[in-house]
Amino acid sequence: MFSTSSVLLILAAVSSTAAQQVANCSVKGYDTGKQPAFLTNPNITTATACKSFCADTTYDKCLSFAVGPICLLYNVTVTGYVNVVPVSPYTFYDAACKV
């Protein structure tokens, strides 16, 4: 049998992993500039189309995208790379988000 402390340690590890996998969806703001967009498309202005562009790109691994006046693709997730600004015209999504 497992001891109580072992069970708690296992549960903590599972909870930590699950928390890291939560996607950031619909975050208004601007990128921090630490990892600028690797690809843009001024003809795409909807979240659904930008997500498809992200999924279809072979230039680099798309891990997140932003949509506003243009579509921006990033090879990093939203966490740590977006400054939240509620009045921004850009909305950021991790690639795993449903739009």
Side-chain angles (χ1 to χ4, degrees):
M1 270 300 144
F2 292 109
S3 70
T4 303
S5 60
S6 295
V7 171
L8 291 176
L9 184 60
I10 292 168
L11 288 175
V14 169
S15 295
S16 176
T17 301
Q20 291 173 5
Q21 294 174 352
V22 172
N24 288 285
C25 307
S26 197
V27 178
K28 298 287 264 179
Y30 297 95
D31 69 53
T32 61
K34 291 190 278 185
Q35 285 290 135
F38 71 85
L39 197 56
T40 65
N41 188 324
N43 299 315
I44 297 176
T45 57
T46 67
T48 301
C50 195
K51 179 177 174 63
S52 293
F53 185 49
C54 177
D56 293 342
T57 188
T58 56
Y59 177 75
D60 200 353
K61 176 100 172 131
C62 183
L63 298 178
S64 64
F65 60 94
V67 66
I70 65 173
C71 173
L72 305 159
L73 304 186
Y74 296 86
N75 60 5
V76 293
T77 59
V78 171
T79 301
Y81 293 97
V82 173
N83 290 322
V84 176
V85 179
V87 296
S88 170
Y90 291 97
T91 306
F92 288 78
Y93 301 84
D94 282 337
C97 294
K98 293 182 181 178
V99 293

